[in-house]
Amino acid sequence: MMFRSALAGSAVAALLATSGQAQAQSQAPAHSHAPGSAHTPGSAHAPGDAQSADEAQVRAVVTAYKDAIERMDVSQTPALFWTDSEIFENGGVEGSFAYYLEHHLGSEFADLAGFDFRNHEMKVEVDGDTAFVSETYTFHITFKDGARAPIERRGAATSVLRKRGDEWRFDVYHSSARPFRPAA
């Protein structure tokens, strides 16, 4: 699979079936065509209604996933990923989303009191039935066990979403994080 070098970042999103609210938010002027996002010369779609609709749907999926992580309720997230999707995290191969959810993501929430994304930025490029998404953000995690110190990290994610029929879902999702580095 090819990743575009211009897309070094991260992805997170939500259910299309229940993403009316997220989709409406993604179509709001504050989210439409942020600097560095979407329409590039040579894309399969010219800038316009079809491109805008596809981009809005992609943004809704990514936003729905991010929102589910923040709510720490991932019960609806499998519908955001194709069954043959691939997940990569911090240098590891996690397998399909179903495997990742059962053996990693879902079980982690049991210890958490809160998960907040901050400074979230997303870039989207749609090329035919493929979308390339990059995200950058910071996240803050708190634990139910008050003796555990909160965690704050810089994160980035890149993802490839595929359109099958009229539906966009994650095909490849990769995220990584690192501690904040002191200013030089």
Side-chain angles (χ1 to χ4, degrees), residues 8-78:
S10 84
V12 193
L15 282 173
L16 283 175
T18 60
S19 68
Q21 179 181 2
Q23 193 168 6
Q25 291 171 347
S26 72
Q27 293 172 339
H31 293 288
S32 60
H33 308 300
S37 69
H39 314 300
T40 60
S43 289
H45 296 289
D49 292 339
Q51 180 75 18
S52 297
D54 283 336
E55 181 181 338
Q57 290 174 359
V58 167
R59 287 180 179 276
V61 171
V62 174
T63 299
Y65 184 63
K66 179 183 92 46
D67 292 350
I69 299 296
E70 284 188 306
R71 285 190 320 270
M72 296 184 305
D73 177 5
V74 291
S75 61
Q76 302 298 307
T77 57

Side-chain angles (χ1 to χ4, degrees), residues 104-119:
H104 184 79
L105 186 61
S107 60
E108 287 183 347
F109 289 142
D111 296 332
L112 303 185
F115 193 117
D116 299 305
F117 285 101
R118 299 171 182 172
N119 306 310

Side-chain angles (χ1 to χ4, degrees), residues 8-168:
S10 84
V12 193
L15 282 173
L16 283 175
T18 60
S19 68
Q21 179 181 2
Q23 193 168 6
Q25 291 171 347
S26 72
Q27 293 172 339
H31 293 288
S32 60
H33 308 300
S37 69
H39 314 300
T40 60
S43 289
H45 296 289
D49 292 339
Q51 180 75 18
S52 297
D54 283 336
E55 181 181 338
Q57 290 174 359
V58 167
R59 287 180 179 276
V61 171
V62 174
T63 299
Y65 184 63
K66 179 183 92 46
D67 292 350
I69 299 296
E70 284 188 306
R71 285 190 320 270
M72 296 184 305
D73 177 5
V74 291
S75 61
Q76 302 298 307
T77 57
L80 301 173
F81 291 80
W82 295 114
T83 56
D84 58 347
S85 64
E86 297 177 279
I87 310 299
F88 303 88
E89 183 180 67
N90 290 328
V93 178
E94 301 291 337
S96 70
F97 183 73
Y99 183 87
Y100 177 64
L101 184 60
E102 183 179 341
H103 294 94
H104 184 79
L105 186 61
S107 60
E108 287 183 347
F109 289 142
D111 296 332
L112 303 185
F115 193 117
D116 299 305
F117 285 101
R118 299 171 182 172
N119 306 310
H120 182 261
E121 294 186 23
M122 181 191 323
K123 294 180 184 177
V124 176
E125 179 184 337
V126 176
D127 189 356
D129 290 341
T130 304
F132 304 90
V133 180
S134 65
E135 299 171 85
T136 57
Y137 47 83
T138 59
F139 61 88
H140 183 82
I141 298 173
T142 54
F143 296 93
K144 291 177 183 174
D145 176 0
R148 290 185 71 179
I151 296 173
E152 189 144 8
R153 300 276 190 268
R154 290 189 191 276
T158 53
S159 55
V160 176
L161 285 80
R162 298 259 187 233
K163 185 177 184 181
R164 296 179 184 169
D166 291 331
E167 188 172 3
W168 286 95

